[in-house]
């Protein structure tokens, strides 16, 4: 039987293991995602968007840093209690020094990113909520990283999460996303197992084409430096939401 999102206890997400395996250094795949997104953000007016959202933010700070170049407020929406606690600690207390190289790269590629890590995180509001509860048409920009394909093993539910992502943006709002390519269910740390829905550029394009305009889907090859989760690379997306996506 396939695991669905509501079958999983997201409050138990293993933050320390996840960060240790993935985000203690800037890996080549991170750098490629940051470069791709920075090119899109450089096309937008610095700090010109009133409100942005990171869907399923998790403990990954670099999407928030990237969005700080164009956003005056960023809602980091996250359902899992352990991730929420980590985000609040990073933003309200002091961010881990391991995020400094990520900030430096983001700022080097887009000087509109605020000059310090703390300043880049200052617009962030942590919202403890299920992304499916977000009202449609609330954000000028929606960003999502490694969420829809890592929240379920069911392709229909993956597509539903993608529709939630698009519809939370205003008509012709900006969309920026990254998906693990062909990632099966996977383990983090010594014990925990999490759902995965293998997707590729073709599937991502099929899901988003009816919902978006100016759709651009590309990919990068697998990164050999993190643990082998079974993925074959990363699928990258930029687009604007189509007014018809509200229907």
């Amino acid at each position: 039987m396939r695991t669905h999102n509501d079958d999983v206890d997201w409050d138990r997400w293993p933050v320390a293991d996840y960060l240790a395996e993935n985000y203690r250094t800037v890996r080549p795949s991170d750098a490629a995602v940051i470069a791709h997104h920075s090119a899109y953000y450089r096309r937008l007016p610095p700090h010109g968007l009133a409100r942005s959202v990171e869907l399923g933010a998790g403990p990954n700070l670099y999407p928030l840093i990237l969005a700080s170049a164009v956003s005056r407020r960023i809602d980091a929406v996250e359902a899992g209690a352990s991730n929420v606690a980590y985000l609040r600690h990073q933003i309200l207390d002091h961010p881990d020094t391991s995020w400094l190289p990520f900030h430096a790269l983001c700022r080097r590629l887009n000087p509109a990113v605020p000059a310090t890590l703390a300043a880049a995180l200052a617009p962030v509001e942590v919202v403890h909520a299920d992304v499916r509860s977000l009202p449609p048409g609330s954000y000028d920009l929606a960003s999502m990283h490694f969420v829809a394909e890592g929240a379920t093993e069911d392709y229909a539910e993956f597509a539903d999460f993608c529709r939630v992502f698009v519809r939370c943006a205003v008509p012709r709002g900006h969309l920026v996303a990254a998906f693990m390519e062909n990632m099966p269910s996977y383990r983090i740390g010594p014990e925990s197992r999490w759902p995965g829905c293998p997707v590729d550029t073709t599937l991502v394009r099929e899901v988003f084409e009816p919902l978006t305009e100016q759709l651009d889907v590309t990919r990068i090859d697998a990164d050999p430096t993190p643990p082998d989760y079974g993925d074959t690379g990363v699928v990258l997306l930029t687009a604007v939401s189509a007014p018809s996506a509200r229907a």
Side-chain angles (χ1 to χ4, degrees), residues 2-224:
R2 290 177 176 173
T3 299
H4 292 80
N5 180 79
D6 291 341
D7 298 329
V8 179
D9 183 0
W10 295 106
D11 290 341
R12 298 180 59 193
W13 180 259
V15 173
D17 288 335
Y18 182 69
L19 292 172
E21 291 182 9
N22 292 282
Y23 294 117
R24 290 311 182 199
T25 61
V26 182
R27 301 184 186 276
S29 55
D30 298 320
V33 173
I34 289 169
H36 174 270
H37 290 0
S38 294
Y40 185 82
Y41 286 133
R42 286 196 304 268
R43 293 157 46 188
L44 307 181
H47 315 294
L49 303 180
R51 198 174 180 207
S52 300
V53 63
E54 182 68 26
L55 269 77
N60 181 5
L61 299 191
Y62 79 67
L64 305 173
I65 298 168
L66 285 165
S68 71
V70 298
S71 308
R72 298 192 295 275
R73 169 175 166 165
I74 306 164
D75 286 353
V77 179
E78 170 58 42
S82 57
N83 285 328
V84 167
Y86 178 81
L87 287 169
R88 286 177 173 161
H89 173 68
Q90 297 298 294
I91 292 160
L92 298 177
D93 297 325
H94 197 282
D96 295 343
T97 57
S98 56
W99 293 110
L100 291 171
F102 289 87
H103 171 263
L105 177 60
C106 292
R107 182 164 165 78
R108 185 162 69 249
L109 293 172
N110 187 355
V113 169
T116 67
L117 176 57
L121 296 176
V124 178
E125 297 285 340
V126 181
V127 180
H128 190 181
D130 188 316
V131 299
R132 294 169 294 186
S133 69
L134 293 174
S138 299
Y139 295 98
D140 301 301
L141 178 144
S143 173
M144 180 173 68
H145 291 76
F146 317 123
V147 173
E149 80 285 13
T152 181
E153 295 176 354
D154 183 78
Y155 285 98
E157 191 170 34
F158 164 78
D160 287 342
F161 274 110
C162 293
R163 283 188 283 270
V164 167
F165 168 59
V166 173
R167 289 171 181 165
C168 76
V170 298
R172 295 191 173 88
H174 299 280
L175 304 170
V176 177
F179 307 87
M180 299 303 295
E181 182 185 64
N182 290 316
M183 189 174 72
S185 299
Y186 60 99
R187 293 186 180 277
I188 296 175
E191 296 181 0
S192 66
R193 181 183 179 276
W194 303 90
C197 184
V199 303
D200 57 15
T201 55
T202 299
L203 180 61
V204 169
R205 198 173 280 113
E206 287 176 354
V207 170
F208 280 91
E209 275 183 342
L211 305 172
T212 63
E213 300 172 353
Q214 303 173 35
L215 176 65
D216 183 77
V217 178
T218 187
R219 65 175 300 281
I220 57 176
D221 289 333
D223 186 342

